[in-house]
Amino acid sequence: EIVLTQSPGTLSLSPGERATLSCRASQSVSSSYLAWYQQKPGQAPRLLIYGASSRATGIPDRFSGSGSGTDFTLTISRLEPEDFAVYYCQQYGSSFTFGPGIKVDIK
Amino acid sequence: QVQLQESGPGLVKPSQTLSLTCTVSGGSINSGGYYWSWIRQHPGKGLECIGYIFYSGSTYYNPSLKSRVTISVDTSKKQFSLKLSSVTAADTAVYYCARGSGGFDIWGQGTMVTVSS
């Protein structure tokens, strides 16, 4: 099973700042089958990025994904108030596993 | 657009079987390339994929739950279902149904299931 590790556990930033979230896999994720989700309290997760770097429908371009192999990054170029949430990475190249999540909170 | 809605009991007794149904609206469940999935989230914790089914009936189950899980599909009703047997308190969670295709792009709102006597 591919284990995903996300860092940091919590990221404290101010609106307008840049957020860089890391996701590392225990083995290579085939074909960059890596997705990122945003989850707010009491809501279902929302797909942001799939295929490591493709934005899902309706996702603002301040969200971008990059990486391959075992190292992936989600970048939020300028944090908006609605972006403070928990972010999960997920690989779907070999069954499915999620990372433990990164909480982005207001500094 | 496609929407998913979970339904089923919110309270299940230990050792019994948890049964949930997900109804697909606004689109077809027969669309090729999609896998119809169940995902759960323990209170305050992360996400766990339980398994999925294609409209053809082929399935994948999380190895850690495989012995207790059955996922089925009824294309005529545009529904897919989850059965989880021999539940314990550790199965208390929010259960989501989701459509998979390069990540899970559409989710139901989730339903809280508590295992308690």
Side-chain angles (χ1 to χ4, degrees), chain A residues 2 4 6 11 28 30 37 68 80 91:
Chain A
I2 297 178
L4 299 179
Q6 292 187 249
L11 199 51
S28 184
S30 62
Y37 301 84
S68 63
E80 297 288 341
Q91 67 81 23

Side-chain angles (χ1 to χ4, degrees), chain B residues 68-90:
Chain B
R68 300 193 291 128
V69 173
T70 302
I71 297 176
S72 59
V73 63
D74 186 334
T75 55
S76 65
K77 293 183 178 178
K78 296 177 65 175
Q79 295 178 334
F80 61 104
S81 299
L82 168 70
K83 290 189 186 300
L84 181 65
S85 64
S86 305
V87 296
T88 69

Side-chain angles (χ1 to χ4, degrees), chain A residues 1 35 37 39 42-47 49-51 88 90 92 95-96 98-100, chain B residues 35 39 41 45-49 52 60 62 96 101-105 107-110:
Chain A
E1 174 182 287
Y37 301 84
Q39 187 178 33
Q43 296 184 16
R46 176 174 71 143
L47 178 66
I49 301 288
Y50 64 94
Y88 295 95
Q90 178 233 341
Y92 50 98
S95 69
F96 299 89
F98 288 90
Chain B
Y35 40 95
I39 297 160
Q41 186 168 35
K45 303 296 184 182
L47 299 159
E48 178 182 34
C49 181
Y52 63 77
Y60 162 83
N62 185 322
Y96 295 100
S101 170
F104 298 107
D105 63 342
W107 296 65
Q109 65 185 26

Side-chain angles (χ1 to χ4, degrees), chain A residues 2-65:
Chain A
I2 297 178
V3 177
L4 299 179
T5 304
Q6 292 187 249
S7 60
T10 301
L11 199 51
S12 296
L13 295 167
S14 301
E17 288 193 295
R18 181 184 187 89
T20 303
L21 289 66
S22 173
C23 176
R24 179 162 289 178
S26 60
Q27 53 189 285
S28 184
V29 177
S30 62
S31 303
S32 294
Y33 286 155
L34 192 288
W36 288 92
Y37 301 84
Q38 176 194 70
Q39 187 178 33
K40 297 179 181 179
Q43 296 184 16
R46 176 174 71 143
L47 178 66
L48 300 174
I49 301 288
Y50 64 94
S53 60
S54 297
R55 269 188 300 278
T57 302
I59 301 304
D61 61 7
R62 64 180 181 274
F63 292 92
S64 63

Side-chain angles (χ1 to χ4, degrees), chain A residues 49-103:
Chain A
I49 301 288
Y50 64 94
S53 60
S54 297
R55 269 188 300 278
T57 302
I59 301 304
D61 61 7
R62 64 180 181 274
F63 292 92
S64 63
S66 63
S68 63
T70 60
D71 289 296
F72 300 88
T73 301
L74 174 70
T75 302
I76 310 171
S77 59
R78 285 176 54 87
L79 282 164
E80 297 288 341
E82 62 268 27
D83 298 337
F84 292 92
V86 178
Y87 292 82
Y88 295 95
C89 60
Q90 178 233 341
Q91 67 81 23
Y92 50 98
S94 173
S95 69
F96 299 89
T97 49
F98 288 90
I102 296 173
K103 183 177 182 179

